[in-house]
Amino acid sequence: MTSVVENAKETPARKKPKAVLSDRARSERALGWRLAGPAFFVMLFVTLWPIGDAIWLSLFNYRLTDPAGRKFVWFQNYVTALSDPLFWQTFVTTFAIVIFTLIFELIFGFAIALVMNKIVVPRKTLRTIVLIPYAIITVVSAFSWRYAAEIDTGFFNHWLNWITVGGFPLDYNWFGGRWSSLFIISMSEIWKTTPFMSLLLLAGLAQVDSSMEEAAQVDGATWWQRLYKVVLPNMKAALMVAVLFRTLDAIRIYDNPYVMTGGANETMSLSMLVSNETITRVEIGMGSALSVILFIIVLIVAAIFVRGFKVDLTGGNK
Amino acid sequence: MQRRKSPRSVAGAAVLALVASGALAACGGSSSAAGTPTLTWYINPDGGGSDPTKGGQAQIALECTKAAQGRYRINFQQLPNSASDQRTQLLRRLAAGDSNMDLMSVDPAFNTEFAAAGYYAPVPQKMVKQFTQDRVQSSIDASKYKGKLISVPFWANTQVLWYRKSVAKQAGLDMTKPVTWDQLIAAAQKSKTDIGVQAALYEGYSVWINALIEGAGGHIVKNPNATYESIQLGLDSAAGKAAAAVIAKVAKTGTGGPAVGSSQETQSLNLFQGKKTSGFLVNWPYVYAALKSAKVPWLDDVGWTMYPRTVDGKPSTPPFGGIEIAVGKDSNHPDLAYDAASCITNEEHQVLYMVSTGNPASRKQAFSDPKVTKAFPGGLAALIRDSLDKAATRPLSPYWGDMSTALQQRFSPPDAVGPNTPAAAQKFILDVLNGKALL
């Protein structure tokens, strides 16, 4: 957590740019570069170089198994991708999953965080239990959910059939249609990542000064009023960071739909499309173009959050 | 505070070092210290699995190691089950220049693609004759690219028409003469049985479409050696329309079964084994062994004949499948690898493989071996050999993988296939190849 503290200290200094640096500040800065510099350059090398390479390759019609047919086509791959119905289908699929899972993860995650914040006695045990789904490898959880929803091995249909007193068909094929498949995929995502959400929100809740809540209570505020007027505004930073992280994470969804449907019935996500073009078809040019598009989408979403909702990633405490 | 290395972090580092050294050893060179070069053979899963006593590729690897008397040792690695996963794994290693890619069991669907990419070591000129001698024509075709031999024919597969003698008799179909798809559909309707076909969204569907088009005298690709920019397709043709008509008729009359759009080899065989639906089936020769081991009581009622004709009066061209043996270009021992390929594909091993795994040989002589005629009785062995000689390969174009996927997509679901489907598929395939559409 030291970096957060240091950042918070530095923020006011940045606001007066012309200030003359003291010797101590200068040597501290030099030390900072010496310590972080190598890592910084390694980061540049392992991120910027591949990104630049991908942008360069995306301007070619290039198939790995047909090196002789490599041709510079300017932005044709982008034009093709953005005008292709398959791209927009994967776009809609991906964002349907993102929005649906985010809403439910927020609600459930916040509820769990509230409980964890209030409960004192088995605190550590509770937090460990809550984290179990998050600790499970996504592929494993995807297979579990798939088997649970399938007609022959699954129990969902039997439970639903029992709850609805026989109203729900036992042979309902969840993976037979687009939206029912996406529902199971989203449920699996929600189950798996709600713990992560609740831990981030718990960190935010812990920052809320309990004396403020008590003051509001003394003034006669109801539970809802305290939640809306005191708790939520005071943990906005943590809340927005959690939402941003989850959104960016969910946009890259791959494992769940890959394991459950393999992309059938229009359930292919953007990442699956990228991998299909790059790994399966070895169309390096088109695959790179799609990766760049996915990267830009992530950048846009991040920009909307940071600018639009004024998320401060460097410090939670003001 | 001075931090001392905790025992845990020391242990962690030790584990890391162990894992790293293990991984390095696994990647190590292909020559063992004793001086006997080790050849790695990437095998596709077969009936023998990794058991060297079941007559599969694992046993052949062991026997050829013994026969080499210390010149080389064959070590096998199993590839994933599906052909597309096999392709992905082989392709990654080949593209990365892995020197352990000595021998590979390659599906004809992507054999040409790899050869065109320059991933194979050239077949030694002096061995070409040996590798093509006594082989069925279709397996030689599938092993050639631009007129040159690129791989060694290993085993060869073809589909035949399986039928219930009683059903054919009841429908009044004379099975001693070649039958057409139209006759089959009429017979199935009359006897209220089904025709098992493969029309799910997978390579098997392309196998069917290609066989139908070839049977009508057409070709999906007119110039298989062309680059993607100058490739010419023959889907939008009379042959393409004839093929589409057969598929549409099978799907719309319901003779392909209730779930023809998700029917693969297994489902179509199940249809043939079903009590009410058992009538006709187009499928690979493994069907006979499968029916035998399923102990169906009507095994004597099962008949087999040449693949059905697309159009009346034109001989059918049955589908071709199988496996070729290829040698990677970065192999440290290409000469030894080709020597090993010659041992793997010798007649003794062809017979062994055909009898134990049910996968037909590419050598014609093998079909008259008493062990083979016993395992494939009643003229079945001879039928498979004839079928293989007349079989047509799928287009030997380096772009077949993409073409096949695009073709399946445009021909799915089968009951939506119409006279315009071939033209639409042709346009889509060309768009995909030229980077103007996503797949």
Side-chain angles (χ1 to χ4, degrees):
Chain A
M1 281 289 112
T2 46
S3 65
V4 175
V5 178
E6 266 171 24
N7 273 327
K9 264 190 217 155
E10 261 174 35
T11 317
R14 235 189 286 146
K15 279 182 185 156
K16 352 175 203 160
K18 288 280 150 72
V20 183
L21 287 172
S22 67
D23 279 354
R24 184 180 162 160
R26 205 175 293 136
S27 73
E28 261 187 9
R29 185 169 289 186
L31 175 69
W33 266 109
R34 274 204 300 281
L35 291 176
F40 179 69
F41 283 110
V42 168
M43 281 287 285
L44 277 190
F45 181 71
V46 297
T47 56
L48 271 192
W49 183 66
I51 291 172
D53 199 33
I55 293 173
W56 173 242
L57 284 171
S58 72
L59 305 176
F60 286 88
N61 193 342
Y62 174 32
R63 178 190 290 262
L64 193 62
T65 53
D66 184 18
R70 177 169 159 153
K71 205 173 93 181
F72 192 76
V73 291
W74 288 102
F75 295 98
Q76 200 214 307
N77 287 334
Y78 293 93
V79 175
T80 302
L82 293 173
S83 59
D84 198 282
L86 182 62
F87 173 80
W88 292 106
Q89 179 200 307
T90 57
F91 184 86
V92 169
T93 300
T94 308
F95 278 87
I97 297 174
V98 169
I99 293 167
F100 184 77
T101 55
L102 197 64
I103 290 171
F104 282 91
E105 280 167 16
L106 254 187
I107 295 171
F108 292 138
F110 195 67
I112 294 172
L114 279 178
V115 172
M116 286 199 292
N117 197 36
K118 289 277 179 273
I119 284 180
V120 184
V121 180
R123 179 168 272 177
K124 279 183 181 167
T125 321
L126 188 68
R127 285 181 190 183
T128 314
I129 290 172
V130 164
L131 263 183
I132 288 174
Y134 192 61
I136 291 173
I137 300 158
T138 316
V139 173
V140 176
S141 86
F143 269 110
S144 319
W145 278 80
R146 189 182 117 186
Y147 292 138
E150 265 178 1
I151 301 170
D152 43 2
T153 51
F155 56 85
F156 284 176
N157 285 354
H158 292 272
W159 283 13
L160 287 168
N161 184 272
W162 184 78
I163 291 169
T164 56
V165 205
F168 194 87
L170 275 176
D171 60 349
Y172 182 73
N173 185 3
W174 287 96
F175 300 115
R178 183 183 193 184
W179 298 107
S180 58
S181 311
L182 287 183
F183 178 74
I184 298 290
I185 289 167
S186 300
M187 290 301 287
S188 166
E189 278 285 301
I190 292 168
W191 176 78
K192 201 179 138 43
T193 38
T194 300
F196 172 73
M197 203 69 163
S198 68
L199 275 200
L200 280 184
L201 294 176
L202 180 64
L205 270 182
Q207 285 174 6
V208 178
D209 198 340
S210 58
S211 59
M212 285 201 285
E213 261 193 278
E214 281 161 24
Q217 198 167 7
V218 171
D219 289 344
T222 62
W223 187 81
W224 275 110
Q225 281 170 328
R226 270 181 280 144
L227 185 69
Y228 271 101
K229 300 265 158 92
V230 181
V231 176
L232 284 179
N234 273 298
M235 60 176 290
K236 189 193 150 208
L239 191 71
M240 290 322 287
V241 167
V243 172
L244 175 63
F245 277 21
R246 256 320 287 160
T247 311
L248 298 187
D249 208 25
I251 290 175
R252 299 180 294 117
I253 182 168
Y254 178 85
D255 335 34
N256 262 321
Y258 180 83
V259 167
M260 292 201 206
T261 63
N265 298 319
E266 307 182 3
T267 54
M268 198 187 255
S269 73
L270 274 171
S271 294
M272 284 174 77
L273 182 65
V274 172
S275 115
N276 190 29
E277 298 295 322
T278 324
I279 310 288
T280 315
R281 291 187 58 207
V282 289
E283 280 281 2
I284 307 293
M286 182 63 81
S288 301
L290 284 166
S291 327
V292 172
I293 292 173
L294 183 59
F295 181 58
I296 291 171
I297 291 174
V298 169
L299 280 187
I300 291 173
V301 171
I304 291 173
F305 271 95
V306 174
R307 292 283 155 89
F309 299 109
K310 304 212 164 44
V311 176
D312 184 7
L313 286 174
T314 52
N317 45 352
K318 299 191 187 108
Chain B
M1 196 183 85
Q2 183 95 35
R3 274 197 73 209
R4 219 180 288 158
K5 263 193 179 167
S6 69
R8 201 185 290 171
S9 72
V10 172
V15 167
L16 206 74
L18 264 175
V19 170
S21 65
L24 283 175
C27 290
S30 57
S31 301
S32 67
T36 307
T38 302
L39 303 174
T40 309
W41 181 14
Y42 284 84
I43 63 172
N44 60 310
D46 57 27
S50 55
D51 187 340
T53 61
K54 293 273 168 67
Q57 292 170 76
Q59 180 169 349
I60 297 178
L62 188 72
E63 287 186 2
C64 285
T65 300
K66 275 183 201 152
Q69 294 176 327
R71 281 195 307 130
Y72 56 79
R73 218 164 55 81
I74 303 179
N75 182 16
F76 65 87
Q77 291 283 339
Q78 271 209 58
L79 290 167
N81 276 321
S82 85
S84 60
D85 288 341
Q86 290 169 15
R87 173 180 166 273
T88 310
Q89 183 163 341
L90 290 173
L91 180 76
R92 274 191 216 163
R93 286 179 176 271
L94 288 166
D98 185 344
S99 63
N100 283 323
M101 305 298 283
D102 299 311
L103 290 158
M104 291 163 271
S105 294
V106 186
D107 194 289
F110 47 84
N111 195 21
T112 318
E113 184 185 9
F114 287 2
Y119 289 160
Y120 291 165
V123 181
Q125 203 54 47
K126 60 179 195 296
M127 298 181 92
V128 169
K129 198 172 163 227
Q130 185 200 341
F131 289 149
T132 50
Q133 208 171 30
D134 189 37
R135 299 308 209 284
V136 290
Q137 189 54 43
S138 50
S139 76
I140 299 175
D141 293 345
S143 276
K144 277 187 171 175
Y145 178 60
K146 290 191 173 171
K148 273 172 80 179
L149 196 71
I150 50 168
S151 55
V152 185
F154 177 35
W155 61 274
N157 218 352
T158 187
Q159 291 197 348
V160 297
L161 171 62
W162 305 86
Y163 62 94
R164 294 287 294 272
K165 291 172 187 162
S166 54
V167 173
K169 201 174 163 194
Q170 185 202 336
L173 199 58
D174 180 8
M175 299 306 286
T176 56
K177 288 187 202 141
V179 290
T180 64
W181 279 98
D182 280 340
Q183 286 174 321
L184 269 191
I185 296 166
Q189 279 182 303
K190 203 171 162 193
S191 59
K192 295 197 170 57
T193 57
D194 287 340
I195 311 171
V197 292
Q198 295 86 39
L201 195 76
Y202 81 125
E203 181 70 17
Y205 194 13
S206 297
V207 168
W208 189 29
I209 298 170
N210 184 61
L212 288 174
I213 293 179
E214 293 279 335
H219 302 288
I220 293 179
V221 183
K222 288 182 189 163
N223 50 348
N225 294 340
T227 64
Y228 65 90
E229 285 166 301
S230 52
I231 208 153
Q232 287 178 335
L233 301 185
L235 274 168
D236 189 9
S237 62
K241 288 196 178 83
V246 169
I247 295 170
K249 203 168 172 188
V250 168
K252 280 170 193 159
T253 54
T255 43
V260 65
S262 55
S263 175
Q264 303 193 2
E265 277 90 350
T266 314
Q267 287 83 351
S268 57
L269 176 59
N270 289 344
L271 214 56
F272 190 62
Q273 278 179 259
K275 210 170 184 180
K276 283 186 181 154
T277 51
S278 180
F280 305 93
L281 167 73
V282 284
N283 210 331
W284 311 97
Y286 83 97
V287 163
Y288 184 75
L291 291 176
K292 211 170 155 184
S293 66
K295 296 203 170 71
V296 291
W298 35 265
L299 195 62
D300 288 341
D301 191 35
V302 177
W304 42 79
T305 185
M306 195 62 101
Y307 198 76
R309 297 178 165 188
T310 313
V311 285
D312 200 14
K314 216 172 243 171
S316 68
T317 48
F320 172 81
I323 289 289
E324 327 295 327
I325 303 281
V327 176
K329 79 166 183 333
D330 292 305
S331 160
N332 290 330
H333 316 283
D335 295 340
L336 289 179
Y338 274 111
D339 270 1
S342 138
C343 168
I344 290 165
T345 57
N346 70 20
E347 199 179 317
E348 180 200 340
H349 289 140
Q350 294 259 289
V351 171
L352 169 81
Y353 198 67
M354 184 164 179
V355 172
S356 347
T357 65
N359 295 326
S362 61
R363 282 176 181 268
K364 291 181 195 169
Q365 277 294 323
F367 290 89
S368 40
D369 190 285
K371 275 177 264 171
V372 170
T373 46
K374 194 178 160 226
F376 296 86
L380 185 53
L383 171 69
I384 295 168
R385 191 192 57 212
D386 286 352
S387 179
L388 276 170
D389 251 344
K390 298 192 175 85
T393 61
R394 278 156 272 168
L396 298 168
S397 159
Y399 311 105
W400 171 246
D402 278 2
M403 289 182 190
S404 173
T405 314
L407 191 67
Q408 297 152 29
Q409 285 187 3
R410 283 301 176 264
F411 272 76
S412 288
D415 52 12
V417 170
N420 298 325
T421 309
Q426 172 155 335
K427 187 180 176 297
F428 182 52
I429 292 172
L430 289 176
D431 279 352
V432 164
L433 291 185
N434 284 291
K436 299 213 168 70
L438 292 177
L439 191 60

Tab-separated table of all heavy atoms in Angstrom, chain A residues 159-187:
chain	number	residue	atom	x	y	z
A	159	TRP	N	-34.298	-29.322	-10.637
A	159	TRP	CA	-34.670	-28.383	-9.572
A	159	TRP	C	-35.800	-27.472	-10.025
A	159	TRP	O	-36.790	-27.290	-9.320
A	159	TRP	CB	-33.452	-27.535	-9.170
A	159	TRP	CG	-32.483	-28.276	-8.301
A	159	TRP	CD1	-32.469	-29.620	-8.072
A	159	TRP	CD2	-31.408	-27.717	-7.546
A	159	TRP	NE1	-31.441	-29.942	-7.233
A	159	TRP	CE2	-30.771	-28.790	-6.888
A	159	TRP	CE3	-30.910	-26.435	-7.368
A	159	TRP	CZ2	-29.669	-28.613	-6.069
A	159	TRP	CZ3	-29.816	-26.248	-6.546
A	159	TRP	CH2	-29.194	-27.329	-5.901
A	160	LEU	N	-35.630	-26.909	-11.240
A	160	LEU	CA	-36.655	-25.994	-11.737
A	160	LEU	C	-37.978	-26.726	-11.919
A	160	LEU	O	-39.050	-26.190	-11.646
A	160	LEU	CB	-36.202	-25.379	-13.068
A	160	LEU	CG	-35.093	-24.338	-12.924
A	160	LEU	CD1	-34.503	-23.987	-14.271
A	160	LEU	CD2	-35.640	-23.077	-12.252
A	161	ASN	N	-37.870	-27.968	-12.356
A	161	ASN	CA	-39.062	-28.789	-12.538
A	161	ASN	C	-39.758	-29.017	-11.203
A	161	ASN	O	-40.983	-28.946	-11.093
A	161	ASN	CB	-38.645	-30.123	-13.174
A	161	ASN	CG	-39.831	-30.998	-13.477
A	161	ASN	OD1	-40.267	-31.768	-12.616
A	161	ASN	ND2	-40.356	-30.896	-14.685
A	162	TRP	N	-38.968	-29.238	-10.159
A	162	TRP	CA	-39.518	-29.501	-8.834
A	162	TRP	C	-40.150	-28.227	-8.257
A	162	TRP	O	-41.244	-28.244	-7.706
A	162	TRP	CB	-38.400	-30.014	-7.919
A	162	TRP	CG	-38.884	-30.411	-6.563
A	162	TRP	CD1	-39.526	-31.570	-6.238
A	162	TRP	CD2	-38.773	-29.654	-5.361
A	162	TRP	NE1	-39.826	-31.589	-4.906
A	162	TRP	CE2	-39.376	-30.420	-4.343
A	162	TRP	CE3	-38.219	-28.408	-5.046
A	162	TRP	CZ2	-39.439	-29.965	-3.013
A	162	TRP	CZ3	-38.281	-27.963	-3.739
A	162	TRP	CH2	-38.893	-28.751	-2.734
A	163	ILE	N	-39.437	-27.088	-8.440
A	163	ILE	CA	-39.939	-25.817	-7.903
A	163	ILE	C	-41.251	-25.430	-8.571
A	163	ILE	O	-42.191	-24.975	-7.918
A	163	ILE	CB	-38.884	-24.698	-8.101
A	163	ILE	CG1	-37.680	-24.969	-7.194
A	163	ILE	CG2	-39.460	-23.325	-7.795
A	163	ILE	CD1	-36.482	-24.099	-7.493
A	164	THR	N	-41.314	-25.614	-9.888
A	164	THR	CA	-42.511	-25.212	-10.619
A	164	THR	C	-43.555	-26.329	-10.645
A	164	THR	O	-44.508	-26.268	-11.406
A	164	THR	CB	-42.157	-24.846	-12.066
A	164	THR	OG1	-41.488	-25.975	-12.652
A	164	THR	CG2	-41.255	-23.635	-12.131
A	165	VAL	N	-43.377	-27.334	-9.817
A	165	VAL	CA	-44.274	-28.492	-9.740
A	165	VAL	C	-44.543	-29.058	-11.140
A	165	VAL	O	-45.693	-29.184	-11.576
A	165	VAL	CB	-45.599	-28.148	-9.034
A	165	VAL	CG1	-46.209	-29.404	-8.432
A	165	VAL	CG2	-45.410	-27.101	-7.960
A	166	GLY	N	-43.451	-29.375	-11.847
A	166	GLY	CA	-43.597	-30.031	-13.141
A	166	GLY	C	-43.819	-29.076	-14.297
A	166	GLY	O	-43.972	-29.515	-15.439
A	167	GLY	N	-43.872	-27.783	-14.009
A	167	GLY	CA	-44.116	-26.821	-15.087
A	167	GLY	C	-42.923	-26.640	-16.005
A	167	GLY	O	-43.074	-26.364	-17.190
A	168	PHE	N	-41.717	-26.829	-15.454
A	168	PHE	CA	-40.513	-26.613	-16.259
A	168	PHE	C	-40.124	-27.910	-16.959
A	168	PHE	O	-40.018	-28.951	-16.308
A	168	PHE	CB	-39.376	-26.128	-15.363
A	168	PHE	CG	-38.218	-25.575	-16.134
A	168	PHE	CD1	-38.201	-24.245	-16.507
A	168	PHE	CD2	-37.159	-26.390	-16.507
A	168	PHE	CE1	-37.135	-23.720	-17.224
A	168	PHE	CE2	-36.102	-25.877	-17.232
A	168	PHE	CZ	-36.089	-24.536	-17.585
A	169	PRO	N	-39.945	-27.870	-18.275
A	169	PRO	CA	-39.637	-29.130	-18.989
A	169	PRO	C	-38.284	-29.692	-18.568
A	169	PRO	O	-37.298	-28.963	-18.488
A	169	PRO	CB	-39.617	-28.710	-20.459
A	169	PRO	CG	-39.404	-27.244	-20.440
A	169	PRO	CD	-40.006	-26.721	-19.180
A	170	LEU	N	-38.246	-30.997	-18.323
A	170	LEU	CA	-37.006	-31.659	-17.896
A	170	LEU	C	-35.967	-31.693	-19.006
A	170	LEU	O	-34.779	-31.795	-18.750
A	170	LEU	CB	-37.310	-33.087	-17.448
A	170	LEU	CG	-37.765	-33.251	-15.996
A	170	LEU	CD1	-38.129	-34.692	-15.738
A	170	LEU	CD2	-36.689	-32.793	-15.025
A	171	ASP	N	-36.446	-31.636	-20.254
A	171	ASP	CA	-35.489	-31.739	-21.366
A	171	ASP	C	-35.220	-30.374	-21.985
A	171	ASP	O	-34.927	-30.261	-23.166
A	171	ASP	CB	-35.987	-32.731	-22.415
A	171	ASP	CG	-37.319	-32.308	-23.004
A	171	ASP	OD1	-37.934	-31.367	-22.447
A	171	ASP	OD2	-37.734	-32.905	-24.005
A	172	TYR	N	-35.321	-29.318	-21.166
A	172	TYR	CA	-35.035	-27.990	-21.711
A	172	TYR	C	-33.543	-27.865	-21.998
A	172	TYR	O	-32.709	-28.077	-21.132
A	172	TYR	CB	-35.468	-26.902	-20.716
A	172	TYR	CG	-35.247	-25.509	-21.256
A	172	TYR	CD1	-36.075	-25.009	-22.250
A	172	TYR	CD2	-34.194	-24.721	-20.811
A	172	TYR	CE1	-35.872	-23.751	-22.774
A	172	TYR	CE2	-33.976	-23.456	-21.334
A	172	TYR	CZ	-34.812	-22.973	-22.314
A	172	TYR	OH	-34.595	-21.726	-22.837
A	173	ASN	N	-33.223	-27.523	-23.251
A	173	ASN	CA	-31.826	-27.434	-23.654
A	173	ASN	C	-31.334	-25.993	-23.490
A	173	ASN	O	-31.591	-25.139	-24.334
A	173	ASN	CB	-31.678	-27.900	-25.108
A	173	ASN	CG	-30.236	-27.942	-25.546
A	173	ASN	OD1	-29.324	-27.670	-24.764
A	173	ASN	ND2	-30.011	-28.279	-26.796
A	174	TRP	N	-30.616	-25.733	-22.409
A	174	TRP	CA	-30.122	-24.382	-22.135
A	174	TRP	C	-29.172	-23.910	-23.221
A	174	TRP	O	-29.088	-22.732	-23.517
A	174	TRP	CB	-29.402	-24.344	-20.784
A	174	TRP	CG	-30.321	-24.432	-19.612
A	174	TRP	CD1	-30.648	-25.553	-18.918
A	174	TRP	CD2	-31.054	-23.365	-18.999
A	174	TRP	NE1	-31.533	-25.259	-17.911
A	174	TRP	CE2	-31.797	-23.904	-17.936
A	174	TRP	CE3	-31.147	-21.998	-19.254
A	174	TRP	CZ2	-32.618	-23.141	-17.126
A	174	TRP	CZ3	-31.964	-21.236	-18.441
A	174	TRP	CH2	-32.700	-21.802	-17.389
A	175	PHE	N	-28.426	-24.841	-23.794
A	175	PHE	CA	-27.428	-24.445	-24.782
A	175	PHE	C	-27.961	-24.547	-26.207
A	175	PHE	O	-27.202	-24.551	-27.167
A	175	PHE	CB	-26.164	-25.291	-24.609
A	175	PHE	CG	-25.560	-25.127	-23.241
A	175	PHE	CD1	-25.502	-26.195	-22.357
A	175	PHE	CD2	-25.095	-23.899	-22.830
A	175	PHE	CE1	-24.963	-26.035	-21.098
A	175	PHE	CE2	-24.564	-23.722	-21.564
A	175	PHE	CZ	-24.502	-24.792	-20.699
A	176	GLY	N	-29.286	-24.619	-26.334
A	176	GLY	CA	-29.877	-24.731	-27.666
A	176	GLY	C	-30.154	-23.372	-28.290
A	176	GLY	O	-30.341	-23.267	-29.490
A	177	GLY	N	-30.202	-22.316	-27.481
A	177	GLY	CA	-30.515	-20.998	-28.021
A	177	GLY	C	-29.528	-19.960	-27.538
A	177	GLY	O	-28.758	-20.192	-26.606
A	178	ARG	N	-29.564	-18.795	-28.192
A	178	ARG	CA	-28.575	-17.774	-27.885
A	178	ARG	C	-28.745	-17.227	-26.458
A	178	ARG	O	-27.802	-17.240	-25.672
A	178	ARG	CB	-28.699	-16.632	-28.880
A	178	ARG	CG	-27.643	-15.567	-28.675
A	178	ARG	CD	-27.840	-14.412	-29.631
A	178	ARG	NE	-26.665	-13.550	-29.627
A	178	ARG	CZ	-26.590	-12.411	-30.311
A	178	ARG	NH1	-27.597	-12.030	-31.064
A	178	ARG	NH2	-25.498	-11.684	-30.252
A	179	TRP	N	-29.951	-16.778	-26.122
A	179	TRP	CA	-30.109	-16.058	-24.863
A	179	TRP	C	-30.097	-16.995	-23.663
A	179	TRP	O	-29.603	-16.619	-22.599
A	179	TRP	CB	-31.359	-15.186	-24.893
A	179	TRP	CG	-31.219	-14.171	-25.981
A	179	TRP	CD1	-31.882	-14.164	-27.178
A	179	TRP	CD2	-30.302	-13.060	-26.029
A	179	TRP	NE1	-31.438	-13.116	-27.950
A	179	TRP	CE2	-30.482	-12.421	-27.279
A	179	TRP	CE3	-29.353	-12.558	-25.146
A	179	TRP	CZ2	-29.736	-11.298	-27.654
A	179	TRP	CZ3	-28.621	-11.435	-25.520
A	179	TRP	CH2	-28.815	-10.822	-26.760
A	180	SER	N	-30.601	-18.222	-23.837
A	180	SER	CA	-30.531	-19.148	-22.709
A	180	SER	C	-29.080	-19.561	-22.453
A	180	SER	O	-28.662	-19.706	-21.303
A	180	SER	CB	-31.411	-20.376	-22.965
A	180	SER	OG	-31.026	-21.020	-24.137
A	181	SER	N	-28.297	-19.709	-23.526
A	181	SER	CA	-26.868	-20.014	-23.338
A	181	SER	C	-26.182	-18.855	-22.626
A	181	SER	O	-25.408	-19.051	-21.684
A	181	SER	CB	-26.162	-20.222	-24.679
A	181	SER	OG	-26.852	-21.091	-25.497
A	182	LEU	N	-26.482	-17.631	-23.089
A	182	LEU	CA	-25.836	-16.462	-22.488
A	182	LEU	C	-26.235	-16.319	-21.025
A	182	LEU	O	-25.451	-15.851	-20.200
A	182	LEU	CB	-26.207	-15.188	-23.260
A	182	LEU	CG	-25.545	-15.047	-24.627
A	182	LEU	CD1	-25.919	-13.723	-25.265
A	182	LEU	CD2	-24.039	-15.152	-24.509
A	183	PHE	N	-27.460	-16.744	-20.706
A	183	PHE	CA	-27.907	-16.665	-19.317
A	183	PHE	C	-27.040	-17.548	-18.424
A	183	PHE	O	-26.545	-17.113	-17.386
A	183	PHE	CB	-29.380	-17.078	-19.223
A	183	PHE	CG	-29.916	-17.064	-17.820
A	183	PHE	CD1	-30.193	-15.867	-17.181
A	183	PHE	CD2	-30.118	-18.247	-17.128
A	183	PHE	CE1	-30.667	-15.850	-15.881
A	183	PHE	CE2	-30.598	-18.247	-15.831
A	183	PHE	CZ	-30.866	-17.039	-15.202
A	184	ILE	N	-26.812	-18.796	-18.853
A	184	ILE	CA	-25.987	-19.708	-18.051
A	184	ILE	C	-24.552	-19.203	-17.980
A	184	ILE	O	-23.906	-19.219	-16.925
A	184	ILE	CB	-26.019	-21.142	-18.643
A	184	ILE	CG1	-27.435	-21.702	-18.614
A	184	ILE	CG2	-25.080	-22.070	-17.893
A	184	ILE	CD1	-27.958	-22.016	-17.233
A	185	ILE	N	-24.050	-18.699	-19.110
A	185	ILE	CA	-22.683	-18.164	-19.126
A	185	ILE	C	-22.571	-17.011	-18.131
A	185	ILE	O	-21.629	-16.936	-17.326
A	185	ILE	CB	-22.316	-17.691	-20.554
A	185	ILE	CG1	-22.144	-18.899	-21.475
A	185	ILE	CG2	-21.048	-16.849	-20.543
A	185	ILE	CD1	-22.079	-18.561	-22.942
A	186	SER	N	-23.573	-16.126	-18.139
A	186	SER	CA	-23.548	-14.980	-17.228
A	186	SER	C	-23.668	-15.438	-15.777
A	186	SER	O	-22.984	-14.901	-14.891
A	186	SER	CB	-24.689	-14.019	-17.553
A	186	SER	OG	-24.575	-13.554	-18.864
A	187	MET	N	-24.529	-16.414	-15.519
A	187	MET	CA	-24.679	-16.913	-14.151
A	187	MET	C	-23.341	-17.428	-13.625
A	187	MET	O	-22.956	-17.173	-12.486
A	187	MET	CB	-25.708	-18.056	-14.111
A	187	MET	CG	-27.136	-17.634	-14.342
A	187	MET	SD	-27.696	-16.447	-13.145
A	187	MET	CE	-27.868	-17.503	-11.730
